Amino acid sequence: MSSEKNDVPAWEQRFRAARVSLPDWADDAPQRSLYVSNATGTYEVYAWDRSAGTHRQVTDRPHGTTDAALSPDGAWVWWFDDTDGDEFGVWRRQPFAGGPDEEAVPGLAPSYEAGLALGRDGTVVVGRSTDEDGTTLHLLRPGAAAPVEIYRHAEYGGVGDLSHDSTLLAIDHTEHGDAMHSAIRVVRTEDGTTVAELDEVTGRQDPRGLACLGFAPVAGDSRLLVAHQRRGHWEPMLWDPLTGEETELVLRTEDDRALPGDVSAQWRPEAKSLLVEHEFEARSELFSYDLATGVLTRLDTPRGTVAGATARPDGTVEFLWSSAAEPSAVRSTAGDVVLRAPGAVPPGSVPVTDVWVDGPGGRVHALVQRPAGEGPFPTVFEVHGGPTHHDSDSFAAGPAAWLDHGFAVVRVNYRGSTGYGQAWTDALRERVGLIELEDIGAVRDWAVASGLADPAKLVLSGGSWGGYLTLLGLGVQPESWSLGLAAVPVADYLTAYADEMEALKSLDRTLFGGTPEEVPERWAASSPLSYVERVRVPVYISAGVNDPRCPIRQIENYVTRLEQLGAPHEVYRYDAGHGSLVVDERIKQLRLEIDFAMRHLKS
């Protein structure tokens, strides 16, 4: 059912169409911006001079580049340089107007990234994570010959933000050992001594997370905007680490309605108001909040998903918006499209329908898209990664491709997903993977009973954590699925833990309540390899050979066992990390998945 243009099917047009991210802008030079685009066929960093109306490609690497930042004065573009997508590297920088790259902070060995803060006075803080050292933060003063270490801990942490005058540094950390709920420490950059601490995990039976949202962007203001979970979902508050004063913000709409979902915020440039983003039940909306009056005003955004927003000095707000039916664009509250990628706009797709299904842990929200025609349809359950993430009413080329091929698409926001409250997100502990599969199974049963899905043509599919749940589901629920498509999955959890980056080891210890040696039965119960003998359907696996998150060795262990069992399977290995930033490679991978499904689901 795909339409064609120049013999290129609609699903491929959606992948090839250029996209842009939400532009970042320099604090003290707002006409200088930075964004990421796939205009060349690979996701790279671009500099945009708004005054001159010029765009310049900054990076050009075979595997692409996405992590970048602008210095506050707009003079430099910083970008993270890893090797072949392995996420292990160093920061480099390039003049905004162009020129040679240089190592941004000489003397720091390659590492995994743990945040970056660029101060207005030239102060730099670089966060590093390695298996040997855990988390280390390094401060470089203007004119200094080398950076100095200002923080170190074995558990995962990262750079929060520098204060306007660069005298204070906020650090998000998990020294308490709970990687799902961070604490915040503020230290003096002069000597690394602690100024104040917010910790709502240590000594508590009901741990609650905190997250640094940024210092006030004006001189003389030491307030820190913080996200907290004190009422069971994310909300913003103000905290002054110098005085200890906390100001919880009561956010109610003009019709006196409380915001029921997760709420984040950022400072507007004058620090008198906040830009508020509200995520609830797979959609999002924007508000402005006046700190003096407490008035919350909704901003005019279409129904769908805001994938990022930024408040400009002129009072406008720019945001990246899309829906499942309509491709993304950078829009403004002034009413215009601020930035659209060059070339043709990709074809639209099918709107989503919201479905709520009773599950063992409460009502489960699913997003359903139906192809043309009468059901029941072959159906793809596209399982999101994370696991603390969620599927939303936003444009995605992958689901749209399956719809073009006559498949219904179902996406499930299982327990562990964000946007439904802290209890829903935290529920996946200890029975890792099995909790999520209960929710996916409940929606699967609804899809069959409702007449949407053909029970003989049910595909379980996903990438990263979604790939993990796919392989686990094929073994735990062997009669429920017709085939599986797993991209960059966890397949052998014990080996994955041994080989993965340290930050993920910390998360896994939190999820399981201990190491593999401390609670071996939990790890075994949640590992796809434990159930591989029960798999009864064809399995397709794709894996990046440089992946630090779901390393290749543990996938090879699972594949070897499939081979020993004589189970039907295909494996595609590609030279990249945890996914690819190259458009042709993404198209190739999806084409292989669709071909695999069509061959094995023939009547």
Side-chain angles (χ1 to χ4, degrees):
M1 55 178 284
S2 62
S3 62
E4 294 193 359
K5 179 180 180 181
N6 298 327
D7 296 324
V8 177
W11 74 266
E12 190 171 328
Q13 291 179 40
R14 296 189 192 96
F15 277 91
R16 294 200 180 281
R19 292 176 174 80
V20 293
S21 69
L22 179 72
D24 191 11
W25 50 275
D27 293 338
D28 296 328
Q31 294 308 306
R32 292 191 168 190
S33 291
L34 199 67
Y35 63 89
V36 173
S37 176
N38 66 336
T40 64
T42 302
Y43 285 86
E44 296 288 1
V45 178
Y46 289 76
W48 175 22
D49 188 326
R50 297 182 184 224
S51 297
T54 58
H55 300 258
R56 183 183 69 83
Q57 184 177 338
V58 175
T59 57
D60 185 10
R61 303 194 303 151
H63 292 274
T65 315
T66 57
D67 292 339
L70 268 176
S71 60
D73 60 4
W76 294 93
V77 177
W78 288 58
W79 60 276
F80 192 73
D81 184 14
D82 67 352
T83 302
D84 299 334
D86 66 359
E87 302 181 45
F88 198 82
V90 299
W91 285 98
R92 301 193 185 280
R93 68 177 191 171
Q94 181 183 126
F96 182 86
D101 292 313
E102 61 181 47
E103 190 170 351
V105 186
L108 291 184
S111 68
Y112 297 113
E113 183 189 347
L116 174 72
L118 304 177
R120 280 180 159 88
D121 64 350
T123 299
V124 173
V125 180
V126 175
R128 301 172 66 252
S129 175
T130 65
D131 294 344
E132 298 78 19
D133 297 328
T135 300
T136 57
L137 305 186
H138 304 261
L139 182 141
L140 180 66
R141 291 290 192 187
V148 296
E149 184 179 297
I150 195 171
Y151 174 86
R152 173 182 289 260
H153 200 275
E155 294 290 349
Y156 184 71
V159 177
D161 193 26
L162 275 169
S163 62
H164 187 275
D165 60 5
S166 295
T167 62
L168 302 176
L169 171 66
I171 302 170
D172 292 308
H173 72 83
T174 59
E175 293 178 12
H176 44 56
D178 183 341
M180 292 185 69
H181 304 97
S182 292
I184 298 175
R185 178 174 303 147
V186 174
V187 302
R188 298 188 186 279
T189 56
E190 180 182 21
D191 54 13
T193 56
T194 297
V195 174
E197 177 101 11
L198 279 182
D199 180 351
E200 303 196 343
V201 175
T202 303
R204 298 182 63 99
Q205 295 298 314
D206 57 338
R208 300 178 301 202
L210 296 162
C212 172
L213 300 178
F215 279 103
V218 294
D221 192 338
S222 57
R223 292 176 299 170
L224 184 66
L225 186 59
V226 171
H228 68 90
Q229 294 179 309
R230 293 175 178 176
R231 285 183 284 269
H233 60 101
W234 286 107
E235 298 176 83
M237 73 173 187
L238 300 179
W239 174 47
D240 190 331
L242 295 183
T243 66
E245 181 181 3
E246 296 181 12
T247 306
E248 292 195 11
L249 306 178
V250 180
L251 304 181
R252 302 190 72 85
T253 62
E254 293 163 310
D255 57 356
D256 201 35
R257 176 174 61 91
L259 300 181
D262 285 335
V263 182
S264 184
Q266 60 181 273
W267 294 98
R268 282 181 172 267
E270 79 292 342
K272 297 179 180 178
S273 59
L274 304 176
L275 174 61
V276 173
E277 182 175 344
H278 176 226
E279 290 188 348
F280 183 57
E281 296 182 352
R283 293 174 181 86
S284 51
E285 55 187 344
L286 296 177
F287 297 85
S288 184
Y289 180 76
D290 188 289
L291 290 169
T293 65
V295 174
L296 185 71
T297 305
R298 190 183 189 282
L299 304 181
D300 186 18
T301 59
R303 178 174 169 83
T305 295
V306 174
T310 182
R312 297 276 295 168
D314 64 3
T316 62
V317 173
E318 295 176 356
F319 56 97
L320 184 66
W321 176 90
S322 72
S323 70
E326 186 175 344
S328 64
V330 179
R331 304 185 178 205
S332 169
T333 51
D336 54 346
V337 173
V338 176
L339 180 64
R340 195 188 293 277
V345 176
S349 188
V350 178
V352 297
T353 299
D354 296 88
V355 172
W356 292 88
V357 177
D358 289 332
R363 291 202 314 156
V364 184
H365 188 200
L367 303 175
V368 176
Q369 292 170 284
R370 298 171 181 261
E374 296 294 326
F377 304 103
T379 300
V380 174
F381 273 68
E382 186 71 32
V383 184
H384 74 71
T388 51
H389 184 56
H390 67 270
D391 277 315
S392 62
D393 181 8
S394 57
F395 194 77
W402 288 107
L403 289 157
D404 285 0
H405 285 81
F407 287 76
V409 177
V410 179
R411 290 176 287 170
V412 181
N413 283 332
Y414 50 75
R415 278 171 288 172
S417 300
T418 54
Y420 302 86
Q422 181 186 354
W424 190 260
T425 302
D426 288 356
L428 55 78
R429 286 184 181 226
E430 299 183 4
R431 293 184 62 243
V432 178
L434 305 174
I435 287 281
E436 301 95 294
L437 287 174
E438 290 176 353
D439 294 343
I440 294 168
V443 178
R444 181 260 181 213
D445 292 345
W446 165 85
V448 172
S450 69
L452 171 73
D454 182 343
K457 297 182 178 180
L458 281 171
V459 180
L460 187 57
S461 175
S464 190
W465 196 265
Y468 158 62
L469 293 177
T470 294
L471 295 184
L472 187 65
L474 297 181
V476 172
Q477 302 166 334
E479 306 303 324
S480 295
W481 309 104
S482 306
L483 62 83
L485 307 169
V488 291
V490 174
D492 167 8
Y493 223 135
L494 293 179
T495 303
Y497 178 78
D499 293 353
E500 68 191 5
M501 59 203 307
E502 182 57 37
L504 293 182
K505 289 183 180 180
S506 178
L507 175 61
D508 283 339
R509 290 192 296 270
T510 297
L511 290 175
F512 285 100
T515 66
E517 293 75 25
E518 293 167 337
V519 285
E521 69 287 350
R522 293 179 187 171
W523 288 77
S526 295
S527 178
L529 188 62
S530 298
Y531 306 92
V532 66
E533 289 85 359
R534 299 180 61 189
V535 175
R536 298 289 181 266
V537 299
V539 185
Y540 176 88
I541 299 173
S542 59
V545 297
N546 307 314
D547 191 345
R549 298 173 181 267
C550 298
I552 191 68
R553 183 168 71 105
Q554 51 95 25
I555 293 174
E556 300 292 6
N557 291 348
Y558 188 89
V559 171
T560 296
R561 192 69 187 112
L562 288 176
E563 292 171 347
Q564 294 170 347
L565 294 167
H569 68 282
E570 293 179 16
V571 183
Y572 173 65
R573 303 168 183 85
Y574 56 94
D575 183 20
H578 197 61
S580 176
L581 299 176
V582 179
V583 172
D584 281 342
E585 178 61 39
R586 292 186 175 188
I587 291 172
K588 179 180 180 180
Q589 291 179 23
L590 186 55
R591 183 179 287 118
L592 289 170
E593 291 183 352
I594 292 172
D595 175 70
F596 184 85
M598 300 294 267
R599 283 188 283 114
H600 287 282
L601 293 180
K602 287 182 179 179
S603 300

